[in-house]
Amino acid sequence: MTPCGECDNCREIAGGNSLDVIEIDGASNNSVDDVRQLRENVRYAPAKGRYKIYLIDEVHMLSSAAFNALLKTLEEPPEHVKFVFATTEPQKVLPTILSRCQRFDLHRIPANLIAKHLQFIAGKEKITLEPAAAHAIARGAEGGLRDAESMLDQLVAFCGEKISENDVLNVFGFTSEQTVVDLTGRILRTETPGAIDLLHQQSEAGKDMMRLISDLIAYLRDLLVFKAKPDALKEDVETDVQTSLAAHAELVTTDRLLELVDQFAVAEGRMKWVPNKKLHFEVAIIKAIQSLGQATLDEVIEKLSQLRDGKIVAEKQFPSAAGIGDAGRDESSTRKAGITDPAYSKAAPRVAETSPDANELWQKVLAKVPAQKAFVRNSAAAAHVLGIEGRNFQLGFAPGDKAMMDILGTQANRRFLETLLHEATGADWSVKLTVKEELPSKQALPSDDSRSENFKEDPLIQEAIGLFNAQIKS
């Protein structure tokens, strides 16, 4: 039902002077005497309308005795009386009252709808409100139209009849949505210096660090929802933000994204009670970026399970300790060992030769891989350098080493190798991985006796022992 806005009742209700619509503040009229007065008044018939409406705001503020005094009236109200209870904390209302009411939950208004309504108000008031400014106000209102309209009133008082996005950001200390998008992108691309520099810029500009981390968590939440269901955010975010969400969704997995949300939520809780909020924000960003390049416990357990079941490395191809640990050896000696190995046929296809610069660069990269990343070291040692094509660094793997290629092909490991290439050359690289039938496997083929004697020295086994504090019992 939509009010006409033209009859006497509509005009009186809109003007707040209707005798049949009575608003009561529950916070200041919460005693038993107030409820008794209300019970006396409900007996009188309405002045003009069919019903007499009693609207009690903040009804949860009524005392238990006042609720009990009102209960009889609610059970058997006069036919001409309607009660409307409004509250933000329905859990504080007595169950006996709730059971006699019809409940309507009012949800937050989508930001796009608030922005459109603000544009409508600005047009009626002859105010120039930029679309970006309207969206900034809508985000700051967090779903409340009344708050958005109050913010618009303040902006008109401060800025006059022309309001830009910078005006909104400066008056209320908000951070622009593009800044939050840029900060998220730098974190997901593991650009630690860039992320810290952007944080310093916002701090020096006087932005609220608590508001910034709250906006960052909200954006990560939107990214999480976007990965699960892209269409769920059409009414809440702008088209440009949806494009950014689509780009960022390709940079991170859902599990990693959940970890980021948890880490920044913990940092937000810690920042509420410390004076130097920027310090804790910086630490949170650095920890978040480091966690993106680390293997999770689930990934380690999965790889160890695959090793146990023989899914990553076939039993006859289990690498010896020397084959894994010597990741930085010379390429020529590696190729020589692969050719003279008795397990290979003399008629094995010849590997296409690559430029010396590519091989030399790859050896530098292998030398930079830390010992803690045993999976990466082992997998990188099994790669053949195929050459350089533009900014693409091409690596090839034998069919039997496809599992090693899959390990390097994960987003975090591929990005890690590209970072090492950048550190070695100063240029940006893209690592391309392929399987070549003609390539021989670089993994040594130890005999059963040597394998049974040396498997305890394998770096993977040693890493698993240290990780789980385990012991080998023979």
Side-chain angles (χ1 to χ4, degrees):
M1 180 180 296
T2 303
C4 64
E6 298 178 358
C7 65
D8 292 340
N9 284 333
C10 288
R11 289 197 298 266
E12 288 178 359
I13 293 173
N17 53 11
S18 175
L19 297 176
D20 295 333
V21 179
I22 303 170
E23 182 177 356
I24 301 174
D25 181 17
S28 56
N29 300 275
N30 57 2
S31 66
V32 177
D33 293 337
D34 294 320
V35 174
R36 286 174 181 168
Q37 183 66 34
L38 174 63
R39 290 173 55 186
E40 294 293 331
N41 294 336
V42 296
R43 295 183 300 176
Y44 300 108
K48 285 186 177 181
R50 293 176 55 190
Y51 299 102
K52 201 165 188 175
I53 309 299
Y54 286 90
L55 174 60
I56 303 180
D57 192 16
E58 301 295 337
V59 71
H60 65 273
M61 297 296 292
L62 294 181
S63 64
S64 298
F67 272 128
N68 291 328
L70 185 61
L71 183 59
K72 186 63 176 178
T73 305
L74 289 180
E75 289 178 340
E76 299 176 1
E79 294 183 357
H80 60 270
V81 172
K82 299 292 183 182
F83 287 99
V84 178
F85 297 155
T87 179
T88 55
E89 301 182 54
Q91 71 278 3
K92 293 185 178 181
V93 180
L94 294 183
T96 52
I97 301 296
L98 289 175
S99 63
R100 290 161 174 80
C101 298
Q102 186 175 7
R103 177 169 172 171
F104 298 93
D105 290 314
L106 304 181
H107 302 284
R108 296 180 184 274
I109 304 174
N112 283 346
L113 293 182
I114 293 180
K116 291 180 181 178
H117 189 70
L118 293 177
Q119 293 279 21
F120 172 77
I121 295 175
K124 291 290 186 179
E125 298 294 333
K126 308 299 182 184
I127 299 172
T128 303
L129 179 64
E130 294 183 359
H135 281 280
I137 297 173
R139 290 196 309 272
E142 296 181 347
L145 183 58
R146 181 175 61 181
D147 293 341
E149 292 178 352
S150 298
M151 294 166 64
L152 181 60
D153 289 340
Q154 295 179 49
L155 288 168
V156 172
F158 276 103
C159 308
E161 298 182 351
K162 186 174 182 180
I163 302 172
S164 64
E165 183 184 19
N166 287 333
D167 294 331
V168 180
L169 303 180
N170 293 332
V171 170
F172 297 105
F174 296 160
T175 303
S176 69
E177 196 162 24
Q178 186 58 45
T179 301
V180 178
V181 171
D182 292 342
L183 179 59
T184 305
R186 297 182 186 188
I187 292 174
L188 297 181
R189 291 190 296 269
T190 66
E191 299 175 1
T192 305
I196 296 299
D197 181 61
L198 182 57
L199 178 62
H200 287 179
Q201 293 177 11
Q202 296 301 308
S203 178
E204 293 173 358
K207 303 300 181 182
D208 185 4
M209 292 292 100
M210 290 299 300
R211 182 75 191 190
L212 178 57
I213 195 171
S214 177
D215 292 342
L216 178 60
I217 294 174
Y219 184 83
L220 292 175
R221 172 263 175 194
D222 291 343
L223 183 57
L224 189 62
V225 174
F226 183 86
K227 287 181 69 68
K229 187 179 180 182
D231 296 337
L233 299 175
K234 282 187 175 180
E235 295 184 356
D236 291 330
V237 299
E238 302 176 69
T239 305
D240 295 342
V241 178
Q242 293 186 25
T243 303
S244 301
L245 290 172
H248 290 158
E250 302 294 332
L251 301 177
V252 65
T253 62
T254 302
D255 293 339
R256 296 291 189 181
L257 196 53
L258 288 170
E259 292 178 7
L260 290 180
V261 173
D262 289 339
Q263 291 177 9
F264 284 115
V266 171
E268 182 185 27
R270 188 167 55 245
M271 287 169 59
K272 292 179 180 179
W273 313 107
V274 296
N276 192 349
K277 302 183 186 302
K278 186 179 76 169
L279 171 63
H280 290 267
F281 203 166
E282 292 170 342
V283 172
I285 289 177
I286 295 173
K287 283 185 176 180
I289 293 176
Q290 287 181 345
S291 67
L292 291 175
Q294 296 174 351
T296 63
L297 181 59
D298 291 339
E299 292 174 348
V300 173
I301 294 176
E302 180 183 359
K303 296 302 180 183
L304 291 175
S305 299
Q306 292 177 352
L307 284 172
R308 180 190 61 191
D309 298 337
K311 294 180 180 179
I312 290 184
V313 183
E315 184 178 356
K316 291 186 178 180
Q317 294 180 341
F318 198 89
S320 65
I324 296 178
D326 195 12
R329 62 188 175 185
D330 185 74
E331 180 70 17
S332 61
S333 63
T334 304
R335 184 177 298 142
K336 181 177 179 181
I339 295 175
T340 58
D341 195 302
Y344 298 126
S345 170
K346 293 182 178 180
R350 183 179 179 183
V351 181
E353 294 186 1
T354 59
S355 63
D357 292 343
N359 288 324
E360 182 180 354
L361 177 57
W362 183 240
Q363 294 308 313
K364 293 180 180 179
V365 171
L366 291 177
K368 288 178 174 290
V369 179
Q372 292 84 354
K373 292 183 173 291
F375 284 115
V376 178
R377 289 175 63 92
N378 185 32
S379 304
H384 294 265
V385 180
L386 300 181
I388 296 174
E389 181 179 349
R391 287 300 176 188
N392 295 327
F393 197 90
Q394 299 178 340
L395 298 176
F397 290 83
D401 296 339
K402 187 177 182 302
M404 300 296 184
M405 185 187 75
D406 293 338
I407 294 176
L408 287 186
T410 62
Q411 186 176 15
N413 291 339
R414 187 192 295 266
R415 188 165 55 237
F416 174 69
L417 293 178
E418 292 172 351
T419 301
L420 295 182
L421 287 169
H422 176 77
E423 292 176 357
T425 62
D428 294 330
W429 294 90
S430 178
V431 176
K432 303 296 182 182
L433 308 177
T434 56
V435 175
K436 297 288 185 179
E437 296 290 339
E438 66 273 12
L439 294 176
S441 176
K442 283 191 174 185
Q443 299 183 73
L445 296 177
S447 63
D448 293 340
D449 294 338
S450 62
R451 184 168 63 249
S452 61
E453 294 175 358
N454 298 329
F455 83 98
K456 296 181 181 180
E457 304 298 328
D458 190 290
L460 292 177
I461 301 299
Q462 293 298 322
E463 183 181 8
I465 292 174
L467 181 63
F468 300 105
N469 195 22
Q471 294 180 351
I472 297 179
K473 296 184 179 180
S474 56

